[in-house]
């Protein structure tokens, strides 16, 4: 064929790009996931992805297969990206939620059982939708992410707590709460909240002191001996106190302990017939009520 003849051949006939593959055989899908024949056909019969008939043979539609793969975490490709890319974008596992809050998984399961966090089941796996997690998180202040805990520490450095203000002025906490609600003072005192507890900014407290003469900082009474700080104890289980451990460690009566649990809304868990209290939660309450020496 001479050069004139070659030139006369249409360009589209000289080189045609192969059409993109849109389906794969059941065997290809089986090898892709490293499955046996029985489990491969089980997936097909569950209608997780689209299957069509071509020449009386079943073919898996690749686009629907990839969508299914991105929304589940049970099956993994032998050679390929990990599953659940889209699923992870819209939801958390219980383990992931626990890591975000720096708590154990039992705490998350307790919140789920209490109906505070709603879940969904994806391929027999429990998942927490991200929007549901954010809804619950914004509704409470006790459990915090690492970023929020860091912000809380920054706020604490610039504020004083209600017990601290009461001690400075030599008044009761109830009187402090009355001052914070008083129309005469509420425009001066700026209140921040950390772990759902009010804290007064140091700058606004200083302005408030100058604006009135009723309350003044009290010098500590010399005749009163300094309270020996309690040392935080480590329970036998590490993360949870038993009621008896709290009573023995801190010389607290059972009546006082039950009262604290109710008034401070301290969550408990059941272990057999006994109840347990998370160490970190109870330690936070103890810091507010007693002079505590931090454990190391």
């Amino acid at each position: 064929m001479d050069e004139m003849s070659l030139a006369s051949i249409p360009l589209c006939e000289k080189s045609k790009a192969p059409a993109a593959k849109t389906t794969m055989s059941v065997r290809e899908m089986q090898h892709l996931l490293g499955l046996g024949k029985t489990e491969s056909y089980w997936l097909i019969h569950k209608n997780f992805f689209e299957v069509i008939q071509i020449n009386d043979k079943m073919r898996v539609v690749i686009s629907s297969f990839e969508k299914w793969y991105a929304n589940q975490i049970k099956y993994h490709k032998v050679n390929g990206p990990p599953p659940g890319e889209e699923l992870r974008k819209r939801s958390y596992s219980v383990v992931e939620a626990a890591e975000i809050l720096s708590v154990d998984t039992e705490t998350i399961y307790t919140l789920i059982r209490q109906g505070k966090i709603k879940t969904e089941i994806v391929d027999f796996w429990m998942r927490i939708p991200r929007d549901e997690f954010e809804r619950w998180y914004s509704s409470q202040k006790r459990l915090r992410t690492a970023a929020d805990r860091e912000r809380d520490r920054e706020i604490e450095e610039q504020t004083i707590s209600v017990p601290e203000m009461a001690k400075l002025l030599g008044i009761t906490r109830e009187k402090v709460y009355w001052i914070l609600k008083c129309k005469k003072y509420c425009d001066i005192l700026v209140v921040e909240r950390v772990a759902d507890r009010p804290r007064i900014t140091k700058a606004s407290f200083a302005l408030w002191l100058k604006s009135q003469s009723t309350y003044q900082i009290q010098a500590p009474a010399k005749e009163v001996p300094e309270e020996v700080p309690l040392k935080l104890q480590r329970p036998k289980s590490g993360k949870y106190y038993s009621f008896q451990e709290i009573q023995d460690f801190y010389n607290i009566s059972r009546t006082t302990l039950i009262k604290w649990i109710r008034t401070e809304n301290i969550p408990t868990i059941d272990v057999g017939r006994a109840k347990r209290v998370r160490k970190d939660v109870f330690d936070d309450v103890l810091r507010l009520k007693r002079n505590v020496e931090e454990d190391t």
Side-chain angles (χ1 to χ4, degrees):
M1 184 178 290
D2 57 22
E3 292 183 2
M4 289 294 293
S5 299
L6 286 172
S8 65
I9 300 175
L11 184 61
C12 62
E13 292 184 8
K14 292 180 180 178
S15 176
K16 287 187 177 181
K21 188 176 180 180
T22 60
T23 65
M24 61 179 166
S25 67
V26 176
R27 182 179 291 275
E28 287 175 315
M29 184 267 286
Q30 174 183 335
H31 291 164
L32 184 62
L33 297 177
L35 301 178
K37 183 177 180 180
T38 301
E39 193 166 9
S40 298
Y41 279 98
W42 181 86
L43 287 176
I44 290 172
H45 291 307
K46 281 292 183 179
N47 296 319
F48 288 138
F49 35 79
E50 186 180 355
V51 177
I52 61 176
Q53 292 279 344
I54 298 179
N55 296 329
D56 294 328
K57 291 185 178 181
M58 286 190 294
R59 303 280 298 181
V60 177
V61 178
I62 294 176
S63 59
S64 70
F65 173 86
E66 292 297 340
K67 183 176 181 179
W68 163 80
Y69 186 77
N71 284 279
Q72 61 83 47
I73 54 175
K74 181 177 180 180
Y75 296 95
H76 295 247
K77 292 180 180 178
V78 174
N79 294 303
E85 180 181 358
E86 292 183 12
L87 182 63
R88 289 188 174 89
K89 288 179 181 178
R90 70 171 192 272
S91 66
Y92 297 115
S93 69
V94 170
V95 172
E96 289 168 338
E99 290 175 349
I100 290 171
L101 299 173
S102 299
V103 298
D104 53 35
T105 56
E106 180 57 33
T107 299
I108 304 301
Y109 281 120
T110 298
L111 291 169
I112 292 170
R113 286 194 297 269
Q114 292 173 345
K116 295 180 180 179
I117 297 180
K118 295 181 180 179
T119 62
E120 62 182 12
I121 302 298
V122 179
D123 284 351
F124 311 106
W125 293 81
M126 182 182 290
R127 303 288 298 182
I128 302 171
R130 290 197 177 208
D131 56 354
E132 173 59 29
F133 181 85
E134 294 299 330
R135 179 206 62 76
W136 163 79
Y137 186 77
S138 63
S139 72
Q140 58 83 51
K141 298 295 181 183
R142 183 173 293 279
L143 297 179
R144 312 291 283 161
T145 64
D148 282 345
R149 284 196 298 274
E150 182 61 33
R151 283 192 288 269
D152 289 347
R153 280 192 286 271
E154 293 175 0
I155 294 174
E156 287 173 350
E157 291 176 0
Q158 304 299 323
T159 58
I160 59 175
S161 67
V162 168
E164 288 171 332
M165 181 171 170
K167 187 174 182 180
L168 285 171
L169 301 177
I171 59 178
T172 64
R173 297 182 193 182
E174 289 73 16
K175 194 65 176 180
V176 173
Y177 283 114
W178 178 87
I179 292 171
L180 295 178
K181 294 178 181 178
C182 181
K183 292 182 179 180
K184 183 179 179 181
Y185 304 130
C186 64
D187 290 337
I188 302 174
L189 290 167
V190 179
V191 177
E192 302 279 359
R193 299 195 76 84
V194 175
D196 209 27
R197 294 187 176 92
R199 295 184 65 88
I200 303 91
T201 64
K202 293 178 180 178
S204 70
F205 178 72
L207 289 175
W208 172 78
L209 277 175
K210 294 179 181 179
S211 71
Q212 52 80 49
S213 58
T214 305
Y215 304 97
Q216 299 297 326
I217 293 178
Q218 303 296 308
K222 294 181 180 180
E223 65 274 10
V224 177
E226 183 178 353
E227 179 185 358
V228 177
L230 292 173
K231 180 168 179 59
L232 296 179
Q233 302 293 324
R234 187 165 298 278
K236 185 176 181 181
S237 69
K239 293 184 178 180
Y240 295 94
Y241 288 116
S242 68
F243 280 21
Q244 191 60 52
E245 283 178 325
I246 293 175
Q247 293 173 240
D248 294 341
F249 288 157
Y250 305 116
N251 194 26
I252 297 172
S253 69
R254 195 170 188 87
T255 301
T256 298
L257 175 57
I258 296 298
K259 181 180 179 182
W260 286 8
I261 288 173
R262 290 175 180 171
T263 58
E264 300 293 337
N265 195 26
I266 301 174
T268 63
I269 64 169
D270 294 325
V271 179
R273 295 184 178 180
K275 290 186 178 295
R276 297 288 187 271
V277 178
R278 269 183 48 201
K279 170 178 165 55
D280 57 346
V281 174
F282 185 80
D283 287 354
D284 285 343
V285 173
L286 198 65
R287 288 186 184 97
L288 293 175
K289 295 184 175 294
R290 298 291 176 88
N291 184 11
V292 171
E293 177 183 340
E294 296 292 339
D295 55 351
T296 56

